[in-house]
Amino acid sequence: MPDYSPLGVAPATPRVSIVLPTYNERGNIEPLLKQLLPLKAHFDLEILVIDDDSADGTADLVRQLAHGEPVLRLIRRVGRAGLASAIKEGLLDATGDLVVVMDSDGQHQPSSVLDALTTLQQGDFDLVIGSRFHAQAQIQGLSGRRETGSTWANRLARASLPRYRQLSDYMSGFFALRLDRCLPLIRAVDVNGFKFLYELLAHSRGQLRVCDIPLSFQPRGYGTSKLDVAILWDFGVSILHTISLHLLPRRAISFGLVGASGFLVQVIVTQLVMLLPGVAFGQALPVAVVAAASSNYLINNALTFRFQRQQGLALLRGLLKFLLVASLPVVANVGVASAFYSYVSHNPFWAQLAGILVVFVWNYAASSRFVWNTP
Ligand code: GDD
Ligand code: MN
């Protein structure tokens, strides 16, 4: 129901902000803006383009378009901080009472904006999600692989958010919300990766009145998707963070998962080296530990600490520092694993797991501080 004042007159047109994150969308942003601007007839409109200093001149184009179009505002950020961060910044800067967030590559349709705002107001919801997986949704812009991936991601997300079990798309880039009710939650959202909406839902712990509406999801106009392995990784880490009831820090989860991969590397390398004639477990183990530590360093550099990523010569220097930081527990690792192997069990798997667990905490704390210079 629309809100009526005590005098019984319809309220003034609501102020609506549309937040458009852009990264290299020069070919797509102008047609989208042309389709969105007519919404001025319905709302007191503001359009915010949040650009991460795109190399293709997206921001310059928006700047030009903003001349003579007071509804349009450009926020240009230096140093790419990512989609979720751009959305958060747009929401914090928005002056509307109602805000719509959508992709600016043409995958989301301007017609969904009106649908979402109508639902938001009439149903008195706090948040309306445009869903690609609603029974009435039309998806043309998702490859089979992406659709399968998103379906699985959605299942995981649903399992980790039991209070929002009724929803069908937890990762959508399209949603509309009431700013006053969502603002305190928005401030708390972690901005790594793509999954702003998931984080907002996770933080709200069931407080928000949410529904979803079907989306028409079309192929992107120009350019390519910015979703990559690091963003998928980050999503997995977020799910585990939510399941741990926000107790385990994200970076520790990521570091732990990488450590688990190092454990596999270590076990496999040990087995391989032991194939050499005359090499026993005790000799193979140190080689495997160094191989695992190096592999951990490279993966952590690309995923866990990618915002402080080392490159070129610094990558090599970082590897040496990491091996140094890890060398103290390498002694502990070899010691614990060998002792376990000799006194507890002759199973190399359990022996190595025991060694690795002992060194996890040290490695995490010391390498955060000394290798990637984070607190
Ligand atoms: N400012 C900024 N910074 N914008 C970005 C960045 C960034 O680092 N990365 C992506 N964007 C913008 C793009 O320019 C586009 O407008 C929108 O965010 C979506 O990015 P795409 O690269 O087109 O994402 P996608 O189509 O692969 O992913 C879709 O599905 C995801 C969930 O699976 C989108 O709908 C996402 O919004 C959604 O989270
Ligand atoms: Mn897209």
Side-chain angles (χ1 to χ4, degrees):
M1 288 295 284
D3 259 343
Y4 286 95
S5 74
L7 293 173
V9 291
T13 28
R15 181 150 174 88
V16 168
S17 305
I18 302 179
V19 170
L20 301 174
T22 55
Y23 190 66
N24 293 340
E25 303 292 2
R26 191 185 165 91
N28 299 315
I29 191 72
E30 190 169 1
L32 177 63
L33 289 171
K34 290 232 158 82
Q35 287 178 284
L36 289 173
L37 283 167
L39 289 169
K40 283 193 285 191
H42 301 269
F43 306 107
D44 175 12
L45 188 70
E46 165 187 59
I47 300 180
L48 291 170
V49 176
I50 321 290
D51 186 68
D52 272 353
D53 209 19
S54 300
D56 70 348
T58 305
D60 296 327
L61 174 62
V62 173
R63 228 157 70 86
Q64 265 171 34
L65 297 172
H67 284 241
E69 186 47 83
V71 158
L72 185 58
R73 263 177 71 200
L74 167 68
I75 295 176
R76 182 180 193 159
R77 316 189 304 167
V78 272
R80 186 178 169 198
L83 175 55
S85 149
I87 292 174
K88 181 169 177 174
E89 188 149 343
L91 289 170
L92 293 178
D93 286 342
T95 60
D97 308 307
L98 312 176
V99 188
V100 181
V101 175
M102 67 190 285
D103 293 352
S104 32
D105 58 355
Q107 297 211 261
H108 295 147
Q109 303 313 297
S111 58
S112 305
V113 174
L114 266 182
D115 290 352
L117 289 171
T118 310
T119 310
L120 192 64
Q121 289 181 286
Q122 292 187 346
D124 199 27
F125 290 104
D126 302 326
L127 173 65
V128 173
I129 299 171
S131 166
R132 297 163 294 174
F133 305 107
H134 189 287
Q136 272 108 51
Q138 295 177 313
I139 337 185
Q140 264 132 44
L142 269 191
S143 67
R145 221 172 105 228
R146 266 304 281 278
E147 195 170 337
T148 316
S150 292
T151 306
W152 274 99
N154 260 318
R155 283 192 192 140
L156 283 176
R158 183 174 298 114
S160 71
L161 298 175
R163 291 183 175 108
Y164 292 117
R165 207 170 282 140
Q166 81 278 14
L167 300 175
S168 57
D169 193 350
Y170 301 85
M171 255 75 57
S172 180
F174 187 105
F175 50 91
L177 50 79
R178 271 174 212 280
L179 206 50
D180 58 345
R181 296 205 201 141
C182 297
L183 210 50
L185 296 165
I186 290 167
R187 295 190 66 96
V189 163
D190 170 88
V191 291
N192 280 339
F194 259 41
K195 29 99 205 96
F196 183 90
L197 180 64
Y198 174 80
E199 292 290 332
L200 181 65
L201 291 167
H203 268 289
S204 72
R205 299 175 193 230
Q207 292 168 46
L208 294 176
R209 275 169 296 173
V210 191
C211 77
D212 51 19
I213 58 167
L215 212 60
S216 155
F217 195 76
Q218 300 301 320
R220 113 192 305 282
Y222 296 88
T224 49
S225 163
K226 281 93 201 174
L227 188 126
D228 57 18
V229 174
I231 285 163
L232 292 177
W233 177 265
D234 181 69
F235 171 69
V237 169
S238 273
I239 297 269
L240 293 174
H241 179 68
T242 307
I243 292 174
S244 82
L245 302 176
H246 306 244
L247 291 174
L248 297 175
R250 287 162 206 281
R251 239 173 37 197
I253 294 174
S254 181
F255 199 83
L257 290 174
V258 175
S261 82
F263 175 58
L264 287 182
V265 171
Q266 187 178 316
V267 169
I268 291 166
V269 173
T270 308
Q271 295 302 327
L272 289 177
V273 177
M274 279 170 76
L275 290 178
L276 296 173
V279 178
F281 178 67
Q283 287 120 35
L285 188 61
V287 177
V289 167
V290 172
S294 305
S295 144
N296 282 1
Y297 168 73
L298 292 173
I299 302 176
N300 273 317
N301 192 56
L303 299 176
T304 315
F305 294 99
R306 68 179 182 276
F307 296 105
Q308 279 91 289
R309 186 173 29 222
Q310 321 271 21
Q311 279 162 321
L313 212 59
L315 182 72
L316 204 66
R317 208 173 329 117
L319 173 63
L320 295 178
K321 272 202 220 169
F322 187 82
L323 290 178
L324 202 70
V325 158
S327 68
L328 198 83
V330 161
V331 177
N333 190 350
V334 173
V336 171
S338 306
F340 198 94
Y341 188 77
S342 309
Y343 301 114
V344 186
S345 140
H346 276 316
N347 182 332
F349 182 89
W350 294 116
Q352 290 173 84
L353 186 63
I356 286 162
L357 287 181
V358 168
V359 302
F360 171 77
V361 174
W362 158 265
N363 268 351
Y364 174 58
S367 59
S368 298
R369 179 72 196 82
F370 299 115
V371 181
W372 286 281
N373 301 316
T374 57

